[in-house]
C-alpha cells in the first residue's frame, strides 16, 4: 500500500513541476491533487494499450492517484493499472490506489448471456441471491463485497488497496427503503472494517453519483451524517479504535456544480452543501467527472474565465474541480497520453482563491 516514505519520495521527485499545494495530504500520505480515472473506453485490447500508455505517462509525470473499479471495462481497467505501475517503474508504496465494488462485474467482455453468467459466477457459489441484487445490477452484501475485493486485489496484483469504495450505493434505493439501505451499508462497513484489520485495505469510503448532491426530497438522496454514524457503529462492532471510513467520491465540475451549490445535507441542524458536509465530518473529498467526460476540455462557463488559474479551458476546468476546501484529488479520465500531459499542466497553476471560488459557485447556482 501507499506509505508515508514512498509518497513523500514521489512528491520530492516531482513537486518542482507543480505549483504549491498540488500535492495534498491524507493520513500524512502525499497525494497528487489531479488523479487519473479509468472508467471511459470500450473493453478492447486496443483501449487497454492506450490506457497502459496513459497511466504510465501519468505515473512518470507527477500523478500518483489512480482510481478504478472492478466493473470498469469488465475488470480490464484494474488489470491495466497493474501493468502500468510495473511499466512506469514506480514503487507500489508511492501510488495511492483506489478501487470500488458494488456492481456485478463481467470478466473481460460482456457475455452472450449475462443472466447465465451471473447465475454461474455469483449465485451458484452462494455469493449472492436474487433478492440481494437491486436494479438488476447492484449488490453490497458482505459475502459479495469480500469476493469482489479479493478479485480486485488479484487484478491489481497487490496485497492491499489504499481506498476501497462501495460503488454507488444509492442504486439500492431503487428497490429498497432508505432505512434498509442504511442498515445494509452498516453491514457492509463491518465487512470493510474487518478487511482493514486483515490488511486488505487501508481505508474505505463511498463513491456516488447522485446520493449526496441531490436535495433531501430526491429518491436517490443519502445523508452524509447518517452514513458517518453507520461507519462509526460498524467500527464499534469490530472493536476498532476508530472507523476507517475516510473519503467520499462524488461528481463536481463547472457543468455539474451541485455538490457545492445545493444545500443537500443536514449536519447538526445546519443545512450544508455536500462538499461542506464532507469537510465538516473531516473526510476527504474526491471529485469525479472533473472535465465532464471531455465536454469542458475546450470551453468552460464564463464564470471561470479570468478567475480560475490556467492557460487553457481544460486547465481551468480541472483547477476549478480541485478548488473546494477539503478536496484531496480531482479525477480526470483519459485513455491518451497526450491528454494526460495536457491535463497535468493544470497543476503548474494554483486553484481559485476562496473568495473567487465562492463567487463562482454563486454564479453557477
Amino acid at each position: 500500500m501507499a506509505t508515508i516514505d514512498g509518497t513523500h519520495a514521489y512528491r520530492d521527485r516531482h513537486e518542482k513541476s507543480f505549483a504549491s499545494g498540488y500535492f495534498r495530504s491524507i493520513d500524512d500520505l502525499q497525494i497528487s491533487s489531479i488523479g487519473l480515472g479509468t472508467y471511459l473506453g470500450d473493453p478492447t485490447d486496443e483501449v487497454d494499450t492506450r490506457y497502459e500508455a496513459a497511466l504510465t505517462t501519468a505515473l512518470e509525470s507527477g500523478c500518483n492517484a489512480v482510481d478504478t473499479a472492478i466493473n470498469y471495462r469488465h475488470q480490464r481497467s484494474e488489470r491495466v493499472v497493474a501493468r502500468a505501475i510495473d511499466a512506469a517503474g514506480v514503487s507500489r508504496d508511492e501510488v495511492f490506489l483506489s478501487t470500488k465494488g458494488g456492481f456485478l462485474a463481467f470478466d473481460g467482455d460482456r457475455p452472450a448471456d449475462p443472466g447465465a453468467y451471473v447465475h454461474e459466477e455469483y449465485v451458484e457459489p452462494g455469493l449472492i441471491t436474487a433478492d440481494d441484487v437491486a436494479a438488476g445490477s447492484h449488490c453490497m452484501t458482505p459475502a459479495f463485497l469480500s469476493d469482489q475485493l479479493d478479485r480486485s486485489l488479484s487484478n491489481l496484483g497487490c496485497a492491499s488497496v489504499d481506498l476501497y469504495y462501495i460503488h454507488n450505493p444509492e442504486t439500492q434505493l431503487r428497490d429498497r427503503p432508505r432505512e434498509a439501505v442504511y442498515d445494509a451499508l452498516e453491514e457492509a462497513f463491518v465487512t470493510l472494517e474487518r478487511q482493514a484489520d486483515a490488511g486488505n485495505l487501508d481505508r474505505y469510503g463511498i463513491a456516488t453519483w447522485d446520493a449526496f448532491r441531490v436535495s433531501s426530497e430526491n429518491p436517490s438522496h443519502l445523508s452524509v451524517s447518517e452514513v458517518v454514524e453507520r461507519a462509526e457503529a460498524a467500527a464499534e462492532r469490530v472493536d476498532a479504535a476508530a472507523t476507517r471510513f475516510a473519503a467520499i467520491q462524488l461528481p463536481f465540475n463547472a457543468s455539474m456544480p451541485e455538490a457545492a451549490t445545493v444545500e443537500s445535507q443536514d449536519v447538526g441542524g445546519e443545512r450544508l452543501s455536500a462538499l461542506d458536509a464532507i469537510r465538516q465530518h473531516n473526510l476527504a473529498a474526491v471529485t469525479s467527472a472533473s472535465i465532464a467526460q471531455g465536454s469542458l476540455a475546450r470551453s468552460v462557463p464564463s464564470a471561470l474565465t479570468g478567475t480560475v488559474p490556467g492557460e487553457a479551458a481544460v486547465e481551468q476546468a480541472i483547477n476549478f474541480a480541485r478548488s473546494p476546501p477539503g478536496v484531496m484529488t480531482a479525477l480526470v479520465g483519459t485513455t491518451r497520453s497526450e491528454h494526460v500531459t495536457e491535463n497535468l499542466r493544470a497543476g503548474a497553476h494554483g486553484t481559485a482563491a476562496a473568495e473567487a471560488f465562492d463567487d463562482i459557485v454563486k454564479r453557477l447556482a
Side-chain angles (χ1 to χ4, degrees):
M1 66 179 64
T3 65
I4 293 173
D5 286 347
T7 58
H8 280 242
Y10 185 90
R11 178 205 59 192
D12 291 347
R13 291 203 307 275
H14 294 283
E15 64 180 339
K16 290 182 180 179
S17 300
F18 300 100
S20 175
Y22 171 76
F23 285 97
R24 299 178 181 176
S25 178
I26 180 172
D27 300 331
D28 292 329
L29 303 176
Q30 291 295 298
I31 313 301
S32 60
S33 57
I34 300 174
L36 200 146
T38 58
Y39 169 72
L40 301 173
D42 294 327
T44 64
D45 292 345
E46 178 184 359
V47 175
D48 283 355
T49 299
R50 293 209 308 266
Y51 252 126
E52 183 174 344
L55 284 157
T56 300
T57 297
L59 291 165
E60 290 176 341
S61 304
C63 169
N64 70 335
V66 177
D67 181 85
T68 189
I70 192 168
N71 64 304
Y72 286 176
R73 303 175 55 254
H74 309 324
Q75 302 188 56
R76 285 174 175 259
S77 287
E78 286 187 329
R79 293 164 184 163
V80 168
V81 167
R83 296 201 293 273
I85 290 174
D86 286 341
V90 295
S91 299
R92 170 65 185 91
D93 69 349
E94 297 178 328
V95 181
F96 190 86
L97 183 56
S98 306
T99 193
K100 314 177 189 76
F103 287 104
L104 302 177
F106 300 135
D107 192 346
D109 289 294
R110 182 178 176 84
D113 187 339
Y117 174 87
V118 168
H119 187 82
E120 180 179 342
E121 194 74 11
Y122 298 114
V123 177
E124 286 185 359
L127 296 172
I128 67 172
T129 68
D131 290 341
D132 294 331
V133 179
S137 63
H138 192 274
C139 182
M140 57 184 194
T141 61
F144 179 72
L145 289 176
S146 293
D147 170 80
Q148 295 295 279
L149 176 56
D150 286 345
R151 296 184 194 218
S152 289
L153 293 176
S154 177
N155 289 339
L156 292 164
C158 60
S160 64
V161 291
D162 303 297
L163 178 55
Y164 189 81
Y165 294 107
I166 297 178
H167 200 176
N168 291 12
E170 66 267 37
T171 307
Q172 293 281 324
L173 291 168
R174 300 182 195 177
D175 292 336
R176 293 171 174 77
R178 188 168 283 108
E179 193 64 23
V181 173
Y182 286 132
D183 289 343
L185 275 172
E186 184 175 325
E187 296 305 317
F189 293 162
V190 168
T191 297
L192 297 182
E193 293 284 352
R194 288 175 174 151
Q195 292 285 353
D197 285 338
N200 295 324
L201 60 92
D202 204 24
R203 56 190 66 76
Y204 66 92
I206 289 179
T208 67
W209 190 251
D210 290 326
F212 299 124
R213 65 188 180 92
V214 297
S215 69
S216 56
E217 293 77 27
N218 191 294
S220 295
H221 177 269
L222 290 173
S223 161
V224 172
S225 294
E226 180 67 22
V227 168
V228 169
E229 288 180 13
R230 295 305 186 112
E232 291 171 345
E236 289 181 10
R237 288 171 58 183
V238 301
D239 295 323
T243 180
R244 271 63 68 96
F245 186 87
I248 287 176
Q249 185 181 129
L250 74 175
F252 177 70
N253 60 57
S255 297
M256 298 171 63
E258 297 86 0
T261 61
V262 176
E263 292 182 342
S264 61
Q265 299 295 318
D266 186 320
V267 181
E270 183 180 4
R271 299 302 301 180
L272 299 174
S273 70
L275 285 168
D276 284 342
I278 291 167
R279 183 161 58 99
Q280 191 76 10
H281 283 290
N282 297 314
L283 302 170
V286 176
T287 58
S288 61
S290 297
I291 60 172
Q293 297 185 351
S295 67
L296 295 171
R298 297 292 175 259
S299 177
V300 294
S302 59
L304 276 66
T305 306
T307 55
V308 178
E311 297 178 3
V314 68
E315 296 173 18
Q316 293 175 327
I318 293 169
N319 286 338
F320 176 71
R322 66 190 186 100
S323 287
V327 168
M328 179 181 76
T329 297
L331 298 172
V332 188
T334 179
T335 65
R336 297 187 181 277
S337 292
E338 60 267 29
H339 292 165
V340 169
T341 300
E342 291 174 4
N343 296 342
L344 289 180
R345 287 182 189 138
H349 306 276
T351 56
E355 184 175 340
F357 176 78
D358 290 343
D359 182 62
I360 295 168
V361 167
K362 290 176 183 176
R363 295 171 65 185
L364 293 176

